[in-house]
Amino acid sequence: MSEEPQLEARLESQEEFEPPASFVEQANVTDESIYREFEENWPEAWERAAELLDWEQDWDQVLDDSDEPFYEWFVDGKLNACANCVDRHLGERADQTAIEWVGEPGGTRTYSYAELHEEVNAAAAALRELGVEEDDVVTMYMPMIPELPIAMLACARIGAPHSVVFAGFSANALAERMQAADSEVLVTCDGYYRRGDALDHLSKAREGLEQVEDVTTVVAKRLGADAPSAVEDEHVYESVVDPHRGTEVDPVTRDAEDMLFLMYTSGTTGEPKGVKHTTGGYLSYTAWTSRAVLDIDPEDNYWCAADIGWITGHSYIVYGPLALGTTTLMYEGTPDYPEKDRLWELVDSYDVTQLYTAPTAIRAFMKWGTEYPERHDLSTLRLLGTVGEPINPRAWRWYHEHIGDGSCPIVDTWWQTETGGMMITTLPGIGTMKPGTAGPPLPGISADVVDTDGTTVDPGEGGYLTVDRPWPGMLRTLYRNDERFLAEYWQEHSDTENDNWVYSPEDGAKIDDDGYITILGRVDDVVNVSGHRIGTMEVESAIVGVEGVAEAAVVGADDDVKGQAIYAYAITEAGQTETDEFRREVIAGVEDAIGPFARPAEVVFTPELPKTRSGKIMRRLLADIADGEELGNTSTLRNPGVVEDIQQRVQERETE
Ligand code: WTA
């Protein structure tokens, strides 16, 4: 690690809330002894998660740790994820709604488990016909339309791992991910609706495909007449899927450790990491946490308002909820269209029972005011959840009072793409809630907060979050890159000589006397903008890719709504003028390389960047400058004189 973590405890809070009795009465998990059970009977206690699924063959061993940290869970167990999420519910719940989809302009599509079964089978048959074989990686580049989870489940059915690329990523980012995964099949769509406009998505997909060879492309129609039509070498989704309606495709028997999917995420280098998740451990873990933390029952109308293009949507819109046979809601659009009460309108009309969303959204709702939720009956809600970034106590209280009417527990769930599912949070039927603090590690999860030497810090002190025991939902490796897997996650805090393996999530944290963990934010070069994880190196390499830029440094600055905002400092090449037009070019460079969601909020041109004597850019200092904070001692810099100049330039931008 190059710089000390931000250790200041930003989220002070003394308040405590008990789970409401009305919730506890009906909760899935209410007995505190569960923590002890996992402790005393670890790792076997994890069988209770696996037992939530149907297995074609039982496992011989719960955990194989003979080749640490390449752990294997539910060894030799066999199952199919799609059969678990769809087929097994047909008996009792064939007519119950599996997916309730709401389009932004208003249309809806409802799939019962029987209908989902038919759709998924037809899609699986179509993919097979197009040449997809077991273990081929299928990429999906799609917004929130039903064909996305259908295609994911179809892949799971035939044992083809999927790699979903969030629709907001650029053409280049799509191409990079397809190349990294050697993926030769793409499922995409013509477009989607955003704030009332029909957005063309297909042109972006096509642009990406120009950089990837021999790709078979399937295009789902969301816009129909409003959109460009498929060209000769593209297959229209309906025309390849419809002929297979009524076909049954046997779910392929997969080993517990076979890959279910890949998900690319940002790390400390410019290159995204292909996080590999498996079938048995991941599905058991998402099912278990959906039941224990989100309190999901089949009768629920559960809604996770995330995007399936990120891990939250994979685990808690698709796999966890469907494995439990519930109704999962999927909404295409934004929360402020056509009006700022859209979410509440949906909670009201679909009798939503649990809502799981991001703090950034809650802060936006808070800003818009209580009149929007007040227009609707939200009394069906019994649990609220948050994920993706720390929630400040004020937003927590607002959510509790104005959305939950004081009668819903809130689960503040800390986890990551890599962990597959929730790791640190209260159990809603058991734990006292402390706004701003995620909570204790879940039963069976062993987390700690340590200093640079690996010693547990005192309560209240900041340090590094670590996880010192494996868990079923964990990533198994980075796709085709075991070395990077070891280097990124296991090097820093493990004592490998004594075979003591410790996972490093790269988050700063503190812990209180009750063992509750408060997350303080990333300690690596990753910023969290509206819950989207963005590597500063990726943004920097995009910026230096713009002709006229010599060097760049990117940091996260505090932002009231988004949590963090991207601040870019750039040195121009000789002869390049520092105009607003050039600033727009720099921003466009980032949009092209990554996507609009990674767009810098500010670009500050500067003749120099502050560097240490060894030549490292002092990003921490640049973040403090962006936040307008008092700076500490800068005399150790190689070029202390630049600091004042940069501060002045930042102020000039802010007053503009
Ligand atoms: C942050 C999202 C505070 C954290 C599921 C983590 C959180 C990163 C919380 C992972 C939370 C996630 N409180 N911070 N409840 N949940 N984070 O991979 O920094 O997109 O490392 O997974 O988000 O982001 P990712």
Side-chain angles (χ1 to χ4, degrees):
M1 185 147 323
S2 54
E3 292 165 16
E4 282 296 300
Q6 288 182 11
L7 299 183
E8 83 271 28
R10 284 192 284 173
L11 307 165
E12 294 298 345
S13 164
Q14 271 80 48
E15 251 178 313
E16 294 187 359
F17 292 81
E18 293 307 320
S22 55
F23 180 87
V24 177
E25 260 167 38
Q26 59 77 57
N28 286 337
V29 181
T30 49
D31 193 344
E32 221 169 309
S33 65
I34 190 163
Y35 288 94
R36 208 180 51 241
E37 272 169 41
F38 266 91
E39 215 42 54
E40 288 171 357
N41 188 24
W42 192 93
E44 281 71 28
W46 279 114
E47 293 193 328
R48 80 166 64 216
E51 281 160 4
L52 292 172
L53 306 180
D54 285 355
W55 295 74
E56 290 168 41
Q57 179 184 307
D58 276 346
W59 53 92
D60 295 331
Q61 200 184 345
V62 173
L63 168 67
D64 178 356
D65 58 1
S66 55
D67 183 21
E68 293 181 282
F70 297 94
Y71 301 96
E72 296 192 354
W73 284 87
F74 311 120
V75 183
D76 290 333
K78 311 269 183 225
L79 75 169
N80 181 281
C82 178
N84 269 284
C85 291
V86 184
D87 303 42
R88 68 168 175 153
H89 306 307
L90 292 180
E92 246 178 283
R93 286 190 277 280
D95 299 327
Q96 183 198 302
T97 302
I99 298 179
E100 183 77 65
W101 176 84
V102 183
E104 194 191 70
T108 62
R109 274 154 75 181
T110 305
Y111 297 86
S112 65
Y113 274 97
E115 287 160 343
L116 183 62
H117 183 256
E118 182 184 321
E119 289 291 330
V120 167
N121 272 279
L127 287 172
R128 271 224 180 119
E129 192 179 12
L130 292 169
V132 177
E133 292 179 5
E134 198 173 342
D135 294 320
D136 288 350
V137 176
V138 176
T139 303
M140 277 140 223
Y141 184 44
M142 289 164 117
M144 289 287 282
I145 58 172
E147 286 82 355
L148 175 54
I150 288 167
M152 290 162 74
L153 292 165
C155 281
R157 193 168 192 87
I158 59 174
H162 52 74
S163 166
V164 179
V165 178
F166 172 59
F169 272 115
S170 67
N172 288 316
L174 167 67
E176 189 182 11
R177 284 157 180 74
M178 288 195 74
Q179 284 158 352
D182 275 335
S183 176
E184 294 179 340
V185 182
L186 175 69
V187 185
T188 184
C189 74
D190 55 0
Y192 53 105
Y193 292 94
R194 200 41 42 102
R195 293 206 170 86
D197 294 328
L199 291 194
D200 167 20
H201 186 63
L202 189 54
S203 303
K204 214 164 57 160
R206 283 181 183 153
E207 197 189 319
L209 288 178
E210 283 168 18
Q211 304 167 48
V212 198
E213 275 171 20
D214 298 327
V215 178
T216 302
T217 308
V218 180
V219 182
K221 291 282 195 184
R222 164 70 183 121
L223 302 181
D226 287 351
S229 45
V231 293
E232 218 168 278
D233 57 349
E234 292 164 352
H235 302 275
V236 173
Y237 185 92
E238 287 79 355
S239 48
V240 289
V241 171
D242 284 351
H244 295 287
R245 282 189 193 283
T247 314
E248 291 244 356
V249 175
D250 282 342
V252 168
T253 303
R254 298 285 278 172
D255 191 273
E257 283 298 312
D258 279 340
M259 174 158 57
L260 179 61
F261 69 87
L262 266 180
M263 164 133 265
Y264 283 90
T265 188
S266 293
T268 37
T269 70
E271 212 183 307
K273 306 186 278 198
V275 171
K276 176 183 160 179
H277 282 293
T278 56
T279 311
Y282 171 83
L283 198 63
S284 301
Y285 197 70
T286 51
W288 161 246
T289 46
S290 295
R291 200 183 120 72
V293 181
L294 297 170
D295 202 49
I296 292 179
D297 294 316
E299 303 70 40
D300 287 331
N301 294 317
Y302 157 81
W303 187 15
C304 165
D307 192 295
I308 295 178
W310 305 104
I311 193 69
T312 303
H314 277 54
S315 301
Y316 299 111
I317 296 177
V318 183
Y319 286 111
L322 292 179
L324 297 181
T326 195
T327 299
T328 180
L329 197 83
M330 223 183 129
Y331 171 54
E332 179 183 38
T334 58
D336 57 352
Y337 188 85
E339 279 200 71
K340 294 190 172 75
D341 67 341
R342 189 63 194 269
L343 257 47
W344 320 126
E345 179 204 322
L346 296 184
V347 168
D348 192 351
S349 26
Y350 291 95
D351 294 338
V352 171
T353 42
Q354 294 101 327
L355 177 69
Y356 189 36
T357 188
T360 186
I362 298 163
R363 289 191 296 264
F365 303 147
M366 232 169 105
K367 226 169 111 176
W368 297 339
T370 52
E371 62 173 285
Y372 298 101
E374 277 162 10
R375 284 184 198 167
H376 300 279
D377 177 6
L378 308 181
S379 62
T380 49
L381 286 170
R382 75 164 189 279
L383 174 133
L384 302 172
T386 75
V387 58
E389 32 165 347
I391 179 163
N392 45 309
R394 206 159 74 85
W396 193 102
R397 276 185 239 111
W398 190 91
Y399 196 32
H400 188 250
E401 185 181 337
H402 297 288
I403 306 305
D405 194 26
S407 63
C408 298
I410 296 182
V411 286
D412 172 357
T413 62
W414 177 88
W415 59 292
Q416 307 182 295
T417 303
E418 291 86 344
T419 69
M422 301 157 175
M423 300 284 281
I424 299 176
T425 174
T426 50
L427 283 170
I430 298 178
T432 302
M433 295 164 275
K434 305 186 191 185
T437 297
L442 282 172
I445 300 297
S446 180
D448 199 1
V449 182
V450 302
D451 64 16
T452 18
D453 301 328
T455 313
T456 303
V457 298
D458 289 333
E461 302 250 313
Y464 301 89
L465 181 65
T466 55
V467 182
D468 50 34
R469 263 194 322 213
W471 65 99
M474 68 197 301
L475 81 164
R476 296 305 193 264
T477 190
L478 292 176
Y479 192 53
R480 294 183 180 160
N481 202 341
D482 290 346
E483 269 165 49
R484 192 171 174 198
F485 169 67
L486 292 170
E488 296 251 358
Y489 303 109
W490 302 96
Q491 216 163 35
E492 214 157 289
H493 296 287
S494 298
D495 174 6
T496 51
E497 267 169 36
N498 294 308
D499 239 8
N500 183 11
W501 292 85
V502 176
Y503 171 81
S504 306
E506 299 290 275
D507 271 342
K510 61 173 186 164
I511 191 161
D512 72 9
D513 289 322
D514 300 326
Y516 275 50
I517 294 174
T518 298
I519 306 297
L520 302 171
R522 302 286 304 191
V523 294
D524 59 359
D525 296 319
V526 169
V527 286
N528 192 331
V529 181
S530 301
H532 297 326
R533 192 168 145 182
I534 301 166
T536 53
M537 296 295 185
E538 284 172 69
V539 183
E540 285 171 14
S541 75
I543 294 177
V544 295
V546 176
E547 206 173 317
V549 176
E551 204 180 345
V554 165
V555 298
D558 290 341
D559 185 280
D560 283 350
V561 174
K562 296 179 171 174
Q564 285 189 295
I566 291 183
Y567 239 77
Y569 297 88
I571 303 179
T572 52
E573 279 173 347
Q576 175 62 57
T577 47
E578 299 173 357
T579 56
D580 280 341
E581 195 190 331
F582 187 56
R583 186 171 281 118
R584 281 192 290 275
E585 272 177 47
V586 169
I587 292 171
V590 177
E591 292 182 344
D592 284 349
I594 306 171
F597 65 93
R599 178 193 297 138
E602 190 53 90
V603 178
V604 179
F605 293 119
T606 165
E608 262 187 89
L609 292 168
K611 290 192 176 164
T612 61
R613 296 228 160 84
S614 61
K616 265 185 175 312
I617 299 173
M618 285 284 288
R619 289 193 175 73
R620 194 47 205 296
L621 189 68
L622 289 170
D624 286 345
I625 295 176
D627 290 336
E629 280 181 22
E630 192 93 7
L631 304 181
N633 184 0
T634 54
S635 65
T636 54
L637 290 178
R638 176 196 282 179
N639 50 354
V642 301
V643 172
E644 216 171 296
D645 184 24
I646 298 177
Q647 277 176 314
Q648 211 168 355
R649 285 164 183 263
V650 168
Q651 266 161 21
E652 275 165 26
R653 292 293 314 148
E654 276 166 9
T655 48
E656 238 174 55

